Amino acid sequence: MKKFTEIKSIAAFIDRKNIDTDAIIPKQYLKAVTREGFGENLFDDWRYLEPGNLGDDHSQRKKNPDFFLYQKKNKNAKILVVGDNFGCGSSREHAVWALMDYGFEVVISTSFADIFYNNCFKNGMLPIILDEKKIEELIQYSKRKENIEINLTDQEIIFGNKRIQFEIDEFKKKCLLNGLDDIAMSLEKSEKIFSYENKIKKNKPWIS
């Protein structure tokens, strides 16, 4: 997993609450066996004017010209600002994969569904919780098409002459800064695991 330190990017904003994981990545695309390729179906029902399925040539589908990510000001955005209760619904990890495959590295909201929130950290995405007033400040600034800087080490969002602090669990912060997913954390304890296994083989040889 890639280490997260800081990014500078414009912020794209979608003015909707309770966006569930089926809206983020519809169920028909969950049959794919790798984490790549979900980005082209991010918010699929909103970005296309006709339904799609796994294996379709999406370049041939009719696009919704009003879709917020097609707006020029949102091009190459790595920060997504969303409404309350983002990522609710089913627990599919694919929702985070789709956001990251599209290019987003940070999602900011007033609240997230718990499972989605934890899935973000497991995949290297930073979810930030702010109150409505601070989010409104970000939205107004983003409308000017200027970059926002997010520094995870200092837990700061910097835009113009303004700095906003955000809270994050210290363990989750450590995992992002060091690029540690569940597998990497297990490998960090490999010496202890091997030592334990050798001890078991010596003291209880009948087990092995």
Side-chain angles (χ1 to χ4, degrees), residues 156-168:
E156 281 188 332
I157 302 173
I158 305 162
F159 55 104
N161 296 320
K162 185 87 174 179
R163 291 174 182 264
I164 293 177
Q165 294 289 136
F166 61 88
E167 298 295 322
I168 184 173

Side-chain angles (χ1 to χ4, degrees), residues 138-187:
L138 285 177
I139 292 170
Q140 294 305 318
Y141 187 83
S142 68
K143 288 180 179 179
R144 303 210 296 267
K145 307 175 187 178
E146 297 184 46
N147 281 347
I148 292 171
E149 179 181 350
I150 296 179
N151 186 307
L152 177 56
T153 303
D154 297 330
Q155 296 177 215
E156 281 188 332
I157 302 173
I158 305 162
F159 55 104
N161 296 320
K162 185 87 174 179
R163 291 174 182 264
I164 293 177
Q165 294 289 136
F166 61 88
E167 298 295 322
I168 184 173
D169 176 83
E170 282 299 318
F171 176 73
K172 289 180 169 64
K173 176 181 177 180
K174 174 189 172 183
C175 290
L176 284 180
L177 288 173
N178 293 282
L180 298 174
D181 57 15
D182 290 345
I183 295 174
M185 284 188 285
S186 296
L187 291 175

Side-chain angles (χ1 to χ4, degrees), residues 1-207:
M1 192 170 79
K2 184 176 73 172
K3 295 181 180 180
F4 189 112
T5 52
E6 62 181 21
I7 67 167
K8 289 183 180 180
S9 170
I10 58 170
F13 171 62
I14 180 167
D15 188 16
R16 297 195 190 202
K17 297 181 179 180
N18 303 311
I19 297 176
D20 62 29
T21 51
D22 192 56
I24 298 172
I25 182 72
K27 59 184 179 301
Q28 64 265 34
Y29 300 109
L30 306 188
K31 299 174 185 177
V33 295
T34 66
R35 298 186 181 190
E36 294 78 30
F38 289 100
E40 66 180 357
N41 299 116
L42 177 68
F43 302 124
D44 194 85
D45 291 340
W46 301 340
R47 68 193 289 185
Y48 298 107
L49 295 175
E50 54 191 14
N53 287 290
L54 183 66
D56 285 354
D57 181 355
H58 301 292
S59 66
Q60 301 300 313
R61 295 171 66 195
K62 294 180 181 179
K63 295 182 178 180
N64 176 7
D66 297 324
F67 179 60
F68 79 110
L69 290 180
Y70 290 152
Q71 298 172 16
K72 187 176 180 180
K73 67 183 182 67
N74 291 329
K75 188 178 181 181
N76 300 321
K78 296 180 180 179
I79 302 169
L80 179 63
V81 183
V82 294
D84 190 54
N85 194 31
F86 187 72
C88 55
S90 66
S91 59
R92 64 192 67 168
E93 195 170 5
H94 305 70
V96 178
W97 299 351
L99 288 162
M100 296 192 71
D101 192 61
Y102 187 87
F104 289 114
E105 298 181 34
V106 178
V107 183
I108 303 174
S109 179
T110 51
S111 70
F112 296 93
D114 288 341
I115 295 177
F116 175 87
Y117 184 77
N118 288 317
N119 281 340
C120 285
F121 290 103
K122 292 180 179 181
N123 289 277
M125 172 171 274
L126 173 61
I128 297 176
I129 299 174
L130 297 177
D131 62 40
E132 289 185 8
K133 183 178 179 180
K134 291 177 180 177
I135 284 185
E136 184 58 34
E137 288 184 77
L138 285 177
I139 292 170
Q140 294 305 318
Y141 187 83
S142 68
K143 288 180 179 179
R144 303 210 296 267
K145 307 175 187 178
E146 297 184 46
N147 281 347
I148 292 171
E149 179 181 350
I150 296 179
N151 186 307
L152 177 56
T153 303
D154 297 330
Q155 296 177 215
E156 281 188 332
I157 302 173
I158 305 162
F159 55 104
N161 296 320
K162 185 87 174 179
R163 291 174 182 264
I164 293 177
Q165 294 289 136
F166 61 88
E167 298 295 322
I168 184 173
D169 176 83
E170 282 299 318
F171 176 73
K172 289 180 169 64
K173 176 181 177 180
K174 174 189 172 183
C175 290
L176 284 180
L177 288 173
N178 293 282
L180 298 174
D181 57 15
D182 290 345
I183 295 174
M185 284 188 285
S186 296
L187 291 175
E188 279 194 327
K189 298 178 175 61
S190 57
E191 289 187 8
K192 291 183 179 180
I193 293 172
F194 291 142
S195 176
Y196 175 78
E197 289 178 341
N198 288 332
K199 183 178 179 180
I200 288 296
K201 288 179 181 178
K202 180 179 179 180
N203 296 333
K204 299 178 180 180
W206 61 88
I207 293 179

